[in-house]
Amino acid sequence: MSDLHVYRPEPDELAYTFGGRPPVRRVRPGDVLRVSTEDCFGGKVRGVDDLPTVVCRFPYLNPVSGPFHVEGAEPGDTLALHFASIEPARDWAVSSTFPHFGALTSTSHTATLQPPLEERVWWYELARDLGIARYRARNSDFTVDLPMDPMHGTVGVAPAASEVKMTITPDAHGGNMDTPELRAGVTVYLGVNVDGALFALGDGHARQGHGEVSGVAVEAAMETTVVVELLKAVPTPWPRLESDDFLMSTGSARPLEDAFRISQHDLVTWVAGLTGLDHLDAYQLVSQAGEAPVGNVCDTNYTIVAKILKRYLGRISVYEGVHDRLRRIAAAL
Amino acid sequence: MSDLHVYRPEPDELAYTFGGRPPVRRVRPGDVLRVSTEDCFGGKVRGVDDLPTVVCRFPYLNPVSGPFHVEGAEPGDTLALHFASIEPARDWAVSSTFPHFGALTSTSHTATLQPPLEERVWWYELARDLGIARYRARNSDFTVDLPMDPMHGTVGVAPAASEVKMTITPDAHGGNMDTPELRAGVTVYLGVNVDGALFALGDGHARQGHGEVSGVAVEAAMETTVVVELLKAVPTPWPRLESDDFLMSTGSARPLEDAFRISQHDLVTWVAGLTGLDHLDAYQLVSQAGEAPVGNVCDTNYTIVAKILKRYLGRISVYEGVHDRLRRIAAAL
Amino acid sequence: MSDLHVYRPEPDELAYTFGGRPPVRRVRPGDVLRVSTEDCFGGKVRGVDDLPTVVCRFPYLNPVSGPFHVEGAEPGDTLALHFASIEPARDWAVSSTFPHFGALTSTSHTATLQPPLEERVWWYELARDLGIARYRARNSDFTVDLPMDPMHGTVGVAPAASEVKMTITPDAHGGNMDTPELRAGVTVYLGVNVDGALFALGDGHARQGHGEVSGVAVEAAMETTVVVELLKAVPTPWPRLESDDFLMSTGSARPLEDAFRISQHDLVTWVAGLTGLDHLDAYQLVSQAGEAPVGNVCDTNYTIVAKILKRYLGRISVYEGVHDRLRRIAAAL
Amino acid sequence: MSDLHVYRPEPDELAYTFGGRPPVRRVRPGDVLRVSTEDCFGGKVRGVDDLPTVVCRFPYLNPVSGPFHVEGAEPGDTLALHFASIEPARDWAVSSTFPHFGALTSTSHTATLQPPLEERVWWYELARDLGIARYRARNSDFTVDLPMDPMHGTVGVAPAASEVKMTITPDAHGGNMDTPELRAGVTVYLGVNVDGALFALGDGHARQGHGEVSGVAVEAAMETTVVVELLKAVPTPWPRLESDDFLMSTGSARPLEDAFRISQHDLVTWVAGLTGLDHLDAYQLVSQAGEAPVGNVCDTNYTIVAKILKRYLGRISVYEGVHDRLRRIAAAL
């Protein structure tokens, strides 16, 4: 017997950290959650003249909806969140440059004596029925229609070791991984660190490129439906994703090769566990068959994904078959 | 009036550097080259008991065929190499671990006090008619058929500044980029640094995963057909690729985020030049529409590719339309 | 009128985070604090057979004493902590390797498939009257007397943006910087992020090498005397240190070059502000006259220091002369 | 019976690579070499209005004098170069910023869309009798006298594997390490890769800070005296230095932590070999007793040094006592 929860946060209910906050709702394994999320600017950039540094105030960026307490979740369990649907809530989205943020600029950490790039906002019309986001240049007449591919940049649980992290930071607890792989139809697995797991999500993108190069995607408020499940006494060291076709491991760290190493190490050991291959045989298989889509190369940690087709792994049972089960629940909604 | 050149090197003709060697052949722009390449072990690993550290000797690894002198090529020009076909020369390929080499091991540079991983060889049967490479585990009965996707890990020209580089090193001159994007149907653009360009190629892979995680792909000798063209007085700062659908820039550096920055910077400025967008508008477009497949995360420099669909860029003329022209020549072979 | 506070925490009073905890004491600017700190193992490694992974439990590592609330401290102020004395509390100290931790091993983030190095403990006798720590090899008779140079690896305030960080993490709030520059006679400047500042300290080292290469120094419980001062409405972006002779900026990040950039950027802009040099002239001066001792290359962020002799900067007033003032107070204790 | 060689290159004799050039002189082990070196700009920056990008032309930067062929040197030997004296040849030196080069700017590899910093030249008067280099700000009246500490940024041999490298690149063959530790009184050990070793040196600095932050030190032409020695069948994996008090290993790589790992790994294994300590005991000793002065954080590879006091190592014989022997020869010159 599962419940349907609907959660639409008021502006002052938005969260800016993972950890450190009481839950906004309690849900049970098997429940369905319909949740509204604001864009990374909290909806305050309403036109190309609304510069983020003027209308937003640090650290009130990248809000998430939540956290949600999952009944029975304890450290050592795995939370499974199946994204049944992710739909833009408005017929527009925005992007921008942000001073000293992004991959092609010096930053607070890759610190140089150069002034920042110009702060500029881009406005995207979303033709949601057609699945199109229209890019419009600011300094010329150039426009192009890009296919929408809605996703959440941020999903995570409360961190381990009593830490509290800004939502902008991706790490072993999830957070702002900014991978386009986190789209509808995907199940996310997160290791539980605290009682109740305390998951939250936000930072919807109507679409983004690999690496979120400029630091800001096609940012959109979302209406999202998630099916919640819990795997007792099953640990998950780093966030993993499963689609109908792929297994995916994530790594978030700096430098980017360490994020790569984390994700590949997790996928190799996961594949070894699923198939009975020893570590070197699994290393070989992943090396020849794997893909590695970049998540973000702009946040406080960089994120990269290691993925492999499930059909290359023979008959395997992944997390007790929970993805297929949740997929069916989602289909019936 | 173009010529067809056929080049099958003897073992002692193989090259192990870019630069520092006289040309093996002279070709003219418009000529077609049929070239045989050996695998990264020079064909010396003939079974799972042939450990690379026993049968090969540093620095005689990763041989290339060439260099080829292109008539009329001068510094400041761009060499266009269209890969008409890349076909495994034998019905087998090999892979291995190699001590202190690869992404999931300490290395000579990421130096630790740990002993190396076990050196192990994997043997792949290639069913060339079916386009299949069969993975066979060493320590279990597990096998799986992987689709072949033949490519060259290594292609490049003589470096600038009188440098001579081991073929294993990818950099601005090309080299061992190890990107699966370098498959048949693709045109590679390389900036010319010395008279005659002096290009060479090798390191065929029947397939590889993103990142060439273990350091060694499904290594195969190849029979490859290349159409050669020259663009006078057109500079190319880093190797670029063009397929029917995509423009691609490469970056090779450490740490991996610098390779990412180089490739994205090149793609952004290239797109700006093609479309008339200013740099920030191009940065925005690439950020939302681009992809970033990882090449290698194991060589002396890491390689990553920035790519974008040509159809997102409006009506553009890329390198004077040479890709389409070479495509047609290749189709007529 | 200043107070002398003495604080000797019970084991269950030790803290393992910066932020997220109520203060253990309230002090006023000008007060003197005598504080006992435990070693990074909480004093539980009592001999070479006490392996840290057996006697300690994650995340209960690297305890700090505190936090201390400083009356009147508000975000935007700078907390000045003058270390009047740092003295080993016992006549022994310990060090160890720790699995998958340290610079010359793969780690959880520089993840490889290799097994960890052997876990081994070293016991140091401290001849405190002579200022000597005796190194004793475990697998031979080799011994050598090293000069003691007592310091604190960890000092910091509650982080900004409501974050809570494990004490092992160095960042803009301070934390586990592990620089031998933090010895007696030095004033540490920390930007205040929350009311009361909430500073804490711990992780005493009888001495350490640059980089804390193995991940563990000569770990010692300490008796430490700190003089507390507050500079109102004076911001400090990253932790800074001042000795009688040097100004020092710290940076903590990965990769190590970003820690270097942060520290050098801070020192260049600090020097510019103190001397009236423009940024480029200050960049030039720091480039020729500066030093850059490495702190740690093993923690979750790496730390490096940028330092310059004050006498190279002409007549300057640093933080309103607070270092000299606190130095005199310390001398009178 | 040793010879004294004097070498003063004409401008067109200067070399810009290691490898790829015939020797300018032949010397024998035991010989003394008096060599003149030009500054990194080839002496072409003669005043603050001579911008390097105007008066110099890539790749004709950072010239070295040499290469010198050492009779009898073969791969697997070690070349010992004792720097008897390093003295500025002129009463001035220069420094500058250089577009997109240096630690506090984006570069060709840490590529951003920001414009470069202003190119600016600084002029240093050298009071050689007093050992003083006078810094003079460009945009204010500020001046300060800095102690001279003459050194060579660049020394190396022909690389292995038939490679030819620009002199700007530091690596296992030496090259532009830019460490202030390479001063008079120091012996440099370089592994020999080709017959004759083919060593060269240049890039004198009247002084530099750690990291050569701006990318350019106090650049000076030098008159240098080197005593040459050869150790047969003694390999040296990375450049090492020995002073009267210290053993030093270098590492050159990116990211900076890999340079750190290389240098520490080399020092740990070197110390183990000298003392009979096992690797873990040597790791522990170096971790507590070592120093790690940064060389450069601006070149194509970054360089860092690992050093330890010889007196901490008991009775050891380093490279057959060659440093002491060469020291005596130098004293008698």
Side-chain angles (χ1 to χ4, degrees), chain A residues 49-73:
Chain A
D49 296 323
D50 287 341
L51 296 185
T53 57
V54 174
V55 301
C56 297
R57 190 162 56 88
F58 177 84
Y60 302 104
L61 289 163
N62 207 52
V64 290
S65 298
F68 301 96
H69 178 107
V70 180
E71 304 268 350

Side-chain angles (χ1 to χ4, degrees), chain A residues 16-17 58-59 107-113 160-167 169 171 238 252-255 257-259 261-262 265 268-269 279-280 283 302, chain C residues 16-17 58-59 107-113 160-167 169 171 238 252-255 257-259 261-262 265 268-269 279-280 283 302:
Chain A
Y16 298 91
T17 57
F58 177 84
T107 68
S108 59
H109 282 60
T110 306
T112 80
L113 294 168
S162 303
E163 287 202 310
V164 175
K165 290 176 187 284
M166 283 193 293
T167 54
T169 298
D171 208 325
W238 280 83
S252 295
R254 291 190 178 198
E257 52 261 44
D258 271 2
R261 288 179 181 119
I262 292 167
H265 185 276
V268 166
T269 50
H279 279 188
L280 282 196
Y283 186 27
Y302 304 141
Chain C
Y16 298 91
T17 57
F58 177 83
T107 68
S108 59
H109 282 60
T110 306
T112 80
L113 295 168
S162 303
E163 288 202 311
V164 175
K165 289 176 187 286
M166 283 194 292
T167 54
T169 298
D171 209 323
W238 281 84
S252 295
R254 289 188 178 199
E257 51 262 44
D258 271 2
R261 288 180 180 117
I262 292 167
H265 185 276
V268 166
T269 51
H279 278 187
L280 282 196
Y283 187 27
Y302 304 141

Side-chain angles (χ1 to χ4, degrees), chain A residues 200-248:
Chain A
L201 68 160
D203 191 29
H205 299 163
R207 72 168 285 120
Q208 72 160 80
H210 284 174
E212 206 182 1
V213 191
S214 70
V216 185
V218 184
E219 307 289 338
M222 292 289 176
E223 298 294 336
T224 293
T225 301
V226 173
V227 193
V228 179
E229 194 46 275
L230 186 68
L231 296 125
K232 292 298 296 178
V234 175
T236 295
W238 280 83
R240 293 171 174 171
L241 287 71
E242 183 178 359
S243 68
D244 291 354
D245 293 329
F246 284 96
L247 297 184
M248 297 177 251

Side-chain angles (χ1 to χ4, degrees), chain D residues 48-66:
Chain D
V48 295
D49 296 324
D50 287 341
L51 296 186
T53 58
V54 175
V55 301
C56 298
R57 190 162 55 88
F58 177 85
Y60 302 104
L61 289 163
N62 206 54
V64 290
S65 298

Side-chain angles (χ1 to χ4, degrees), chain B residues 17 58-59 108-113 161-166 169 238 253-255 258 261-262 265 268-269 279 283, chain D residues 17 58-59 108-113 161-166 169 238 253-255 258 261-262 265 268-269 279 283:
Chain B
T17 57
F58 177 83
S108 60
H109 281 60
T110 306
T112 80
L113 294 167
S162 303
E163 287 201 311
V164 175
K165 290 177 189 282
M166 282 193 293
T169 297
W238 281 84
R254 290 189 178 198
D258 272 2
R261 288 179 181 118
I262 291 167
H265 184 276
V268 166
T269 51
H279 278 188
Y283 187 27
Chain D
T17 57
F58 177 85
S108 59
H109 282 60
T110 306
T112 80
L113 294 168
S162 303
E163 287 202 309
V164 175
K165 290 176 187 285
M166 284 193 293
T169 297
W238 281 84
R254 289 188 179 200
D258 271 2
R261 288 179 181 118
I262 291 167
H265 184 277
V268 166
T269 50
H279 279 188
Y283 187 26

Side-chain angles (χ1 to χ4, degrees), chain C residues 28-46:
Chain C
R28 287 178 306 172
D31 285 358
V32 174
L33 176 65
R34 293 221 161 114
V35 57
S36 304
T37 63
E38 252 306 345
D39 66 34
C40 71
F41 300 120
K44 291 182 179 167
V45 177
R46 312 291 293 196

